[in-house]
Amino acid sequence: MTSSRRSAPTPPPSGAAGVPRRAVATVCLSGTLEDKLAAAAAAGFDGIELFENDLVVAPWSPAEVRARCADLGLAIELYQPFRDFEAVPADLLRANLDRAERKFDVLAELGADTLLVCSSVAPAALDDDALAVDQLGLLADRAAARGIRIAYEALAWGRHVSTWDHAWRIVARADHPALGLCLDSFHVLSREVDPAGIAGITPGKIFFLQLADAPRLRMDVLQWSRHHRLFPGQGAFDLAGFVGLVLSAGYAGPLSLEVFNDVFRQSDPARTAVDAMRSLVHLEDGLHPTDRPEDRRQRRLPVAPGLTGHSFTEFAVDGRSGPVLQDVLRGLGFTHTGQHRSKPVQLWEQGGCRVVLNSAVTRPQASGTAAISAFALTTTDPHRAVDRAGALHAPVLPRRRGPGEAELAAVAAPDGTSVFFAEPDDGWRADFLPTGNEVGAGAGLVATDHLGLTQPFDHFDEAGLFYRSVLGLRQLGTEEYAAPFGLMRSRGFTDPGRAVRLALTVAVLRRGEWAPSVADPQHVAFGTDDIFGTAAALDRLGTGTLRISDNYYADLVARFGLAEETVRRLRRYGILYDRDPRGGELLHLYTPVYGGRIFFEVLHRRGGYDGFGDANAPVRMAAHRYRRLAEV
Amino acid sequence: MTSSRRSAPTPPPSGAAGVPRRAVATVCLSGTLEDKLAAAAAAGFDGIELFENDLVVAPWSPAEVRARCADLGLAIELYQPFRDFEAVPADLLRANLDRAERKFDVLAELGADTLLVCSSVAPAALDDDALAVDQLGLLADRAAARGIRIAYEALAWGRHVSTWDHAWRIVARADHPALGLCLDSFHVLSREVDPAGIAGITPGKIFFLQLADAPRLRMDVLQWSRHHRLFPGQGAFDLAGFVGLVLSAGYAGPLSLEVFNDVFRQSDPARTAVDAMRSLVHLEDGLHPTDRPEDRRQRRLPVAPGLTGHSFTEFAVDGRSGPVLQDVLRGLGFTHTGQHRSKPVQLWEQGGCRVVLNSAVTRPQASGTAAISAFALTTTDPHRAVDRAGALHAPVLPRRRGPGEAELAAVAAPDGTSVFFAEPDDGWRADFLPTGNEVGAGAGLVATDHLGLTQPFDHFDEAGLFYRSVLGLRQLGTEEYAAPFGLMRSRGFTDPGRAVRLALTVAVLRRGEWAPSVADPQHVAFGTDDIFGTAAALDRLGTGTLRISDNYYADLVARFGLAEETVRRLRRYGILYDRDPRGGELLHLYTPVYGGRIFFEVLHRRGGYDGFGDANAPVRMAAHRYRRLAEV
């Protein structure tokens, strides 16, 4: 077999000033091709990978797709996939080359110049590298004649070629200017093979780079890849390290996202595309400076805000839910300390805990209910925080400012909650006129420990990346537990100093009609240094905390070997208990649910307990359910 | 270490006349313990396995749970699980025995006499069978003293004990009357170890039998077990063979379902419990006669109906959707041949295809829409079919009968569709007065090939078992594909003679707000022996069939190497093409969607093609979407 070498096709032009182009595969996004292209363009992508199925089902001819992309400013960076080509018997090779020519026709009409060829999974493929080298060389000849490049990729489940280094050996041996590698972070990082050698790949031979993150799952790698990929920063892979290796090898093509995810496939593509863009911006910012040519520094983000604590939590209330929450706060030992100068907004305080009840916020919530409409975090530089958020494509909210009122910079989180950035001096408090109410003894609540926010099903991973990238929070871990009405997933976030904590939860499967539970509950957890003292104070204040099943306490004795006397005290106040493997302890109690979806938690962390007591969440949820049944 | 042997506790009384008791684990069902017990009792179960978490979160004391179960006629057959007990160092053994005594207290108060102990997964557990034997013996001593039995189970992911035969060796060596095996079909059948030896287990030493089915999945066995179990008959395991082995070993305890399933955990427990009961009834019926003592024959089901074809499909229509469907049927070559004697119901016919348009059915559907309200299958013995359905807990519908009208026996399918059983002579046609309309040339449609029914998300596996058990259909296979608005799952069912076919589909994830597609589409597929002739006839009749993207045809050439001329003819009529590995071919075309969710398919099977053309479903779905966009 001979393969006449031709001159290499011209590589695609790089982006302006050497800044890497950003691309997204159409397979990442839900909808028709029209929906996908519109979403990618609106989110600011420079190009797309066109997934064959999206073209096959579309009513536009390839030339029309080309024109549409051009109108939208989108380059077609890659056409994919071309499957089961190499290392086959001669008759099949002829058929495969014919098949390739058909696809070259499509690329020509699309104006695309790179075709992804993934390693064969066909039973007909032979375990013969020399044959693969020859046949890929032939394919590259045909491609070069059409001005097309072949990017060869090792699928992690390829029949004979399943690792990047194997694919690279074949590409290197073929030594054809129109044949290079496609590296996909999933296929590389899901395998055991060390990626370090990627930095040594001959410059110019990496034709394409696909990026996907993923959680670490113990499952069939094909299923893992096809259903559970995530955008960079949403999973467990070291994408920055991987991209660094690829850039070290001189790669100057686009950074392109290729994420197969069951949820993204059925979610609003406009939001998914923004989430995708945010993941790339954040990833680029996290690259080691030496990985990035000088001219890429223009994309450096403002440094993440230094957070010093929760400043306040704002509830949107109305004429019915407002008085209910006032009673609850009073019962928790809060005092109504301030009244806003110009709006129907109350400030309630206890220790370092601050709650704002706002009757002027318009939220899409039912009459008589309450919701967390905003929370404020204290930071040294609110303006920088908002600049960073904006650069990360977070919706920056118009600043609310009245005569003599403090400015509060704010952005909108994926669930619609406003995130305010407050100055360390909490200057916003000057907006409130003192009520003169006498501050009572309180109940020993010290500060807001965390917020618990149920997330919309489609936007859980988006929310995690939002808080990690915009606020610079770290992810503490993901827990799954069986609640009375289905499985739940919970994920904690905090800053390095543990000044701010968020607990996001979501149903593992979107709930249907049978789920007579609280819809999307939200809660604020206040810290105490003396849970029994606080519990006794709440008792004196007449606050009815959530009653917990006696069976729970019987089980506590068996599980932790706690002293009977300790358990008796826990039971008396409905205090739940958890212990981490290092001996850290959590003691916490809850209120019932108010205003449709709001409850409060009081918690006492001991010995460095760093979690959120997820083990007790089903107990709390069942208790809330039984409480509601008792009310009916 | 010594272990004084005591006399065995009395085994639980077996059911009346030796009929095996039926039990369901509370973990199978969604809701609070109250919801679960009510559902289990209503579905006719004799007992439950009480899952510890359900008790721990419940407001009832164990004595109250006992009383509640007694009121409902439910025995508490098992309390579970007790984890990480055996083969530990001495200090941990003491703590574990203390822990066990706490649980014996709970069993005593519950009036339960069997505790499930599953093989340890704890890092502290030693790989020492002799130690496990000694310590389980000690536990059995303590249990026997309280009148309790220990059922030891090998978890498939146990640290040292992970197979049934290993657990049995330990139980046999311990030789303690209060220590026996718990066998769980999932843990046994998910492993490679041959279950045949189960038949040789010493009679009386299998203390408990848990049944679960599962699809064959390549994933971590723990995740597979915790999320994807199914009721018997819904998965791929040979449950009848397994139960046969256990019964051969003299097991006389309950048949108890223990199914961890993410969907069932969040679905209406009343329906899940009926589904569970149906699975047991069907499983028992499928046991080999020699496996079942003579007195169990009383539970034998009426034999499944012999089906000879689709008799008719009924659409519920109203004043707006009725005329639309009349036009469509006319365009497909149907003739309005009959008018019902007493109701606003029309009969339309062509070849062996019959469609009934019924304006008198009340269905919860929007004004102006249509839905498949019923379908009728021809069978030799409709009454036996309904008797079988009733014995399988299918809702038997009141028979519709007017003066001089034929009786049609019917049951309700899980999606609410009525399934009628028609006599082979189609006597029901006498209910229709001939219209005298001249029967036209038609379009060559021969018979109803299949119905395509989108299922409610929570009830897809329930529906599969319903059709398999009630109608005696076989499952043809499950396909998953990426549709424009998310992943879909499709499963086909047919009778041995291929007279009747059903294709059930469901979204892999419940759809949210972004899914601007047709809601729960339904379709009827009519067979032809000459797809091009039929297509030409439809053309002459002025029927606008669904236009398919030219890109699809370009891809067909590449994929199948079809002749250009063939592809030209396919494209002209919007005919889709598929080929199976044995060379069987499917040629099929579609109409647009009418009445909100209804469309029709015309298909031509060649060379024994046995599927439903799922590979083309995304093409059809995108075409429907683009068609609707064009209409707007």
Side-chain angles (χ1 to χ4, degrees):
Chain A
M1 222 172 290
T2 65
S3 95
S4 61
R5 301 279 179 261
R6 291 165 182 267
S7 62
T10 319
S14 56
V19 173
R21 303 187 303 283
R22 293 169 180 151
V24 63
T26 53
V27 77
C28 301
L29 303 170
S30 186
T32 61
L33 185 56
E34 189 168 2
D35 297 323
K36 292 167 189 235
L37 296 181
F45 281 95
D46 304 306
I48 57 157
E49 295 178 32
L50 183 56
F51 203 70
E52 181 161 278
N53 282 10
D54 286 316
L55 178 68
V56 162
V57 306
W60 294 328
S61 71
E64 288 167 333
V65 173
R66 175 186 197 158
R68 178 72 180 151
C69 286
D71 284 349
L72 291 168
L74 293 170
I76 302 175
E77 302 278 8
L78 185 81
Y79 185 80
Q80 71 128 319
F82 189 72
R83 298 188 191 278
D84 296 334
F85 172 78
E86 79 280 13
V88 292
D91 58 332
L92 197 46
L93 174 65
R94 273 190 302 276
N96 284 350
L97 286 169
D98 284 351
R99 186 158 59 92
E101 292 285 358
R102 296 290 183 173
K103 296 304 169 187
F104 294 159
D105 295 343
V106 173
L107 267 80
E109 208 186 326
L110 285 169
D113 65 5
T114 308
L115 174 66
L116 174 73
V117 174
C118 44
S119 61
S120 182
V121 300
L126 304 171
D127 187 7
D128 184 339
D129 280 8
L131 192 59
V133 167
D134 273 356
Q135 295 184 351
L136 284 166
L138 277 177
L139 181 67
D141 280 348
R142 301 274 195 111
R146 310 279 299 260
I148 289 168
R149 308 190 308 165
I150 301 297
Y152 181 60
E153 172 185 63
L155 294 179
W157 55 89
R159 191 168 177 84
H160 303 298
V161 178
S162 61
T163 58
W164 72 265
D165 58 327
H166 193 175
W168 169 230
R169 286 196 301 277
I170 289 171
V171 166
R173 276 176 68 180
D175 190 24
H176 193 297
L179 179 67
L181 272 186
C182 173
L183 291 179
D184 176 314
S185 61
F186 182 89
H187 292 303
V188 174
L189 301 176
S190 63
R191 300 296 306 249
E192 309 278 296
V193 180
D194 188 348
I198 286 173
I201 291 175
T202 308
K205 293 307 281 185
I206 302 175
F207 281 5
F208 208 76
L209 175 61
Q210 295 177 314
L211 298 175
D213 203 342
R216 284 276 166 209
L217 298 174
R218 288 190 299 169
M219 65 189 304
D220 177 64
V221 68
L222 186 148
Q223 297 299 325
W224 184 19
S225 173
R226 292 259 173 94
H227 298 279
H228 301 284
R229 290 186 179 208
L230 292 166
F231 293 119
Q234 296 177 336
F237 289 169
D238 174 14
L239 269 297
F242 175 76
V243 172
L245 293 170
V246 176
L247 295 181
S248 301
Y251 178 73
L255 304 184
S256 186
L257 298 163
E258 193 204 26
V259 170
F260 304 87
N261 179 289
D262 291 0
V263 176
F264 301 160
R265 277 187 191 275
Q266 62 165 25
S267 307
D268 179 352
R271 290 191 62 161
T272 307
V274 170
D275 187 29
M277 176 56 77
R278 182 176 300 133
S279 80
L280 265 189
V281 172
H282 189 233
L283 173 66
E284 289 172 18
D285 189 58
L287 293 176
H288 194 273
T290 59
D291 294 335
R292 300 178 305 122
E294 202 56 30
D295 52 7
R296 287 187 188 134
R297 284 188 183 264
Q298 62 184 273
R299 282 193 173 169
R300 194 91 217 204
L301 290 174
V303 174
L307 301 173
T308 53
H310 291 270
S311 178
F312 67 86
T313 306
E314 177 190 87
F315 290 89
V317 293
D318 64 10
R320 252 168 66 211
S321 59
V324 171
L325 283 197
Q326 291 168 31
D327 279 350
V328 174
L329 290 171
R330 207 173 284 117
L332 289 171
F334 280 77
T335 303
H336 176 196
T337 54
Q339 189 69 37
H340 196 276
R341 292 173 182 277
S342 63
K343 299 174 204 155
V345 179
Q346 299 182 345
L347 172 63
W348 291 71
E349 296 185 88
Q350 174 176 193
C353 313
R354 297 185 204 96
V355 170
V356 165
L357 300 183
N358 191 334
S359 306
V361 187
T362 313
R363 289 263 293 181
Q365 63 193 52
S367 164
T369 65
I372 294 180
S373 45
F375 61 90
L377 306 176
T378 314
T379 176
T380 46
D381 192 341
H383 295 290
R384 194 182 76 210
V386 167
D387 287 348
R388 177 182 172 88
L392 283 159
H393 296 250
V396 175
L397 298 173
R399 292 171 185 181
R400 302 191 208 160
R401 194 172 188 174
E405 291 175 15
E407 188 179 80
L408 273 175
V411 297
D415 66 352
T417 306
S418 299
V419 182
F420 290 107
F421 297 102
E423 304 273 0
D425 67 356
D426 281 325
W428 59 269
R429 294 172 72 190
D431 294 351
F432 289 85
L433 297 172
T435 56
N437 289 338
E438 191 180 340
V439 173
L445 303 186
V446 175
T448 300
D449 182 89
H450 69 270
L451 304 181
L453 301 170
T454 309
Q455 297 298 299
F457 183 81
D458 283 349
H459 304 297
F460 186 69
D461 289 305
E462 176 190 345
L465 178 61
F466 176 90
Y467 288 116
R468 287 182 70 178
S469 61
V470 170
L471 301 185
L473 300 186
R474 298 174 184 185
Q475 188 173 310
L476 286 168
T478 302
E479 301 286 333
E480 284 189 16
Y481 50 85
F485 299 102
L487 298 180
M488 297 293 300
R489 184 173 293 141
S490 169
R491 192 168 283 166
F493 297 87
T494 189
D495 63 301
R498 301 298 193 262
V500 165
R501 291 173 193 263
L502 297 173
L504 308 186
T505 54
V506 72
V508 167
L509 287 180
R510 193 196 308 275
R511 294 294 162 83
E513 287 164 24
W514 168 260
S517 202
V518 177
D520 294 343
Q522 299 179 316
H523 84 280
V524 187
F526 301 112
T528 175
D529 297 327
D530 174 11
I531 187 80
F532 292 108
T534 294
L538 297 181
D539 220 23
R540 282 195 301 275
L541 288 161
T543 299
T545 55
L546 189 66
R547 183 183 157 77
I548 301 299
S549 164
D550 284 348
N551 301 329
Y552 170 79
Y553 295 100
D555 186 54
L556 266 195
V557 174
R559 275 163 65 210
F560 293 109
L562 294 180
E564 290 283 359
E565 169 58 18
T566 304
V567 172
R568 198 191 53 74
R569 292 179 72 200
L570 294 174
R571 181 169 48 218
R572 174 173 167 194
Y573 296 115
I575 298 170
L576 298 149
Y577 179 87
D578 192 27
R579 193 193 291 159
D580 68 28
R582 295 183 315 283
E585 292 179 306
L586 179 70
L587 294 93
H588 55 150
L589 60 80
Y590 293 94
T591 71
V593 173
Y594 302 105
R597 63 188 288 208
I598 298 296
F599 62 95
F600 297 92
E601 177 180 4
V602 173
L603 87 177
H604 184 175
R605 297 176 183 276
R606 290 175 176 172
Y609 184 97
D610 205 25
F612 296 87
D614 285 324
N616 292 325
V619 183
R620 187 258 303 158
M621 293 169 83
H624 275 147
R625 171 67 181 158
Y626 280 110
R627 166 99 184 195
R628 288 163 69 89
L629 288 177
E631 283 168 356
V632 171
Chain B
M1 221 172 293
T2 63
S3 92
S4 62
R5 301 278 179 260
R6 292 166 183 265
S7 63
T10 321
S14 56
V19 173
R21 303 187 304 281
R22 293 169 180 151
V24 63
T26 53
V27 77
C28 301
L29 304 170
S30 185
T32 62
L33 185 56
E34 189 168 1
D35 297 324
K36 293 167 188 236
L37 296 181
F45 281 96
D46 303 305
I48 57 157
E49 294 178 31
L50 183 55
F51 203 69
E52 180 161 277
N53 282 10
D54 286 316
L55 179 67
V56 162
V57 307
W60 296 328
S61 71
E64 287 167 332
V65 173
R66 176 187 197 158
R68 178 72 180 150
C69 286
D71 283 350
L72 291 167
L74 293 169
I76 302 176
E77 303 278 8
L78 186 79
Y79 185 81
Q80 72 126 321
F82 189 72
R83 297 188 190 278
D84 297 334
F85 172 78
E86 80 281 14
V88 292
D91 58 332
L92 197 47
L93 174 64
R94 274 190 301 276
N96 283 352
L97 285 170
D98 285 351
R99 186 158 59 93
E101 291 286 357
R102 297 288 183 173
K103 296 305 170 186
F104 294 160
D105 296 343
V106 173
L107 268 79
E109 209 185 325
L110 285 169
D113 65 5
T114 308
L115 175 66
L116 175 72
V117 174
C118 45
S119 61
S120 182
V121 300
L126 304 171
D127 187 9
D128 182 340
D129 280 8
L131 192 60
V133 167
D134 273 355
Q135 295 184 350
L136 284 167
L138 277 176
L139 181 67
D141 280 348
R142 302 273 196 109
R146 310 278 300 260
I148 288 167
R149 309 191 307 166
I150 302 296
Y152 181 61
E153 173 185 63
L155 294 178
W157 54 90
R159 191 167 176 84
H160 303 297
V161 178
S162 62
T163 57
W164 72 266
D165 56 326
H166 193 176
W168 168 230
R169 286 196 301 275
I170 288 171
V171 166
R173 277 175 66 179
D175 190 24
H176 194 296
L179 179 67
L181 274 185
C182 173
L183 291 179
D184 176 315
S185 62
F186 182 89
H187 293 302
V188 174
L189 301 176
S190 64
R191 301 296 307 249
E192 308 278 296
V193 180
D194 188 347
I198 287 173
I201 290 175
T202 308
K205 294 306 282 186
I206 302 174
F207 281 6
F208 209 76
L209 175 61
Q210 294 177 314
L211 298 175
D213 203 342
R216 284 276 166 208
L217 298 174
R218 287 191 298 169
M219 65 189 304
D220 177 63
V221 69
L222 186 149
Q223 297 298 325
W224 183 20
S225 173
R226 293 260 172 93
H227 298 280
H228 301 284
R229 289 186 180 209
L230 292 167
F231 293 119
Q234 295 177 336
F237 289 170
D238 175 14
L239 269 296
F242 175 76
V243 173
L245 292 170
V246 176
L247 295 181
S248 300
Y251 178 73
L255 305 183
S256 187
L257 298 164
E258 193 205 25
V259 170
F260 304 87
N261 178 289
D262 291 0
V263 175
F264 300 160
R265 276 187 191 275
Q266 62 164 25
S267 308
D268 179 351
R271 288 190 63 161
T272 308
V274 170
D275 188 28
M277 176 56 77
R278 182 177 301 135
S279 80
L280 266 189
V281 172
H282 188 232
L283 173 66
E284 290 171 19
D285 189 59
L287 294 176
H288 193 274
T290 58
D291 294 333
R292 301 177 303 122
E294 203 55 31
D295 52 8
R296 287 187 188 134
R297 284 188 183 264
Q298 61 183 272
R299 282 193 174 169
R300 195 89 217 206
L301 290 174
V303 174
L307 301 172
T308 53
H310 291 270
S311 178
F312 66 86
T313 306
E314 178 191 85
F315 291 90
V317 294
D318 64 10
R320 252 169 65 212
S321 60
V324 170
L325 283 196
Q326 290 168 32
D327 279 351
V328 174
L329 290 171
R330 207 172 285 117
L332 289 170
F334 279 77
T335 302
H336 176 197
T337 54
Q339 189 69 36
H340 196 277
R341 292 173 181 276
S342 61
K343 298 175 205 154
V345 179
Q346 299 182 345
L347 171 63
W348 290 71
E349 296 184 88
Q350 174 176 193
C353 314
R354 296 184 204 98
V355 170
V356 164
L357 301 182
N358 190 335
S359 306
V361 186
T362 313
R363 289 263 291 180
Q365 65 192 51
S367 164
T369 64
I372 294 180
S373 46
F375 61 89
L377 305 175
T378 314
T379 175
T380 45
D381 190 341
H383 295 290
R384 194 183 75 212
V386 167
D387 288 347
R388 177 182 173 88
L392 283 160
H393 296 250
V396 175
L397 298 173
R399 293 172 183 181
R400 302 191 208 158
R401 193 172 190 174
E405 290 175 15
E407 188 179 81
L408 271 175
V411 297
D415 67 352
T417 307
S418 300
V419 181
F420 290 106
F421 297 102
E423 304 272 1
D425 66 355
D426 282 324
W428 58 269
R429 295 174 71 189
D431 295 351
F432 290 85
L433 297 171
T435 57
N437 289 338
E438 191 181 341
V439 174
L445 303 186
V446 175
T448 301
D449 181 89
H450 68 270
L451 304 181
L453 301 170
T454 309
Q455 295 298 299
F457 183 81
D458 283 348
H459 305 296
F460 186 68
D461 288 306
E462 176 190 344
L465 178 61
F466 176 91
Y467 289 116
R468 286 181 71 177
S469 62
V470 170
L471 302 185
L473 300 185
R474 298 174 184 184
Q475 187 174 309
L476 285 168
T478 301
E479 300 286 333
E480 284 189 16
Y481 51 84
F485 299 103
L487 298 180
M488 297 293 300
R489 184 173 293 141
S490 169
R491 193 168 283 165
F493 297 87
T494 190
D495 62 301
R498 301 297 193 266
V500 165
R501 291 174 195 261
L502 297 173
L504 308 186
T505 55
V506 72
V508 167
L509 287 180
R510 193 196 308 274
R511 294 293 163 82
E513 287 164 25
W514 168 260
S517 203
V518 177
D520 294 343
Q522 300 179 315
H523 83 279
V524 186
F526 301 112
T528 175
D529 297 328
D530 174 11
I531 187 79
F532 292 107
T534 294
L538 296 181
D539 220 24
R540 282 194 301 275
L541 288 161
T543 299
T545 55
L546 189 66
R547 183 183 156 79
I548 301 299
S549 164
D550 283 350
N551 301 329
Y552 170 79
Y553 295 100
D555 187 55
L556 265 195
V557 174
R559 276 163 66 210
F560 293 109
L562 294 180
E564 291 282 0
E565 169 58 18
T566 305
V567 172
R568 197 190 55 72
R569 292 180 74 201
L570 294 173
R571 180 168 49 219
R572 173 173 170 195
Y573 296 115
I575 298 170
L576 298 149
Y577 180 85
D578 192 29
R579 192 193 292 158
D580 68 27
R582 295 184 315 281
E585 293 179 306
L586 179 70
L587 294 92
H588 55 149
L589 60 81
Y590 293 94
T591 71
V593 173
Y594 301 104
R597 63 188 289 210
I598 299 296
F599 63 93
F600 297 91
E601 177 181 3
V602 173
L603 87 178
H604 184 175
R605 297 176 184 276
R606 290 176 176 170
Y609 185 97
D610 205 24
F612 297 87
D614 286 324
N616 292 325
V619 182
R620 187 258 303 157
M621 292 169 84
H624 274 146
R625 170 68 181 158
Y626 281 110
R627 166 98 186 196
R628 288 163 68 90
L629 289 176
E631 283 168 357
V632 172

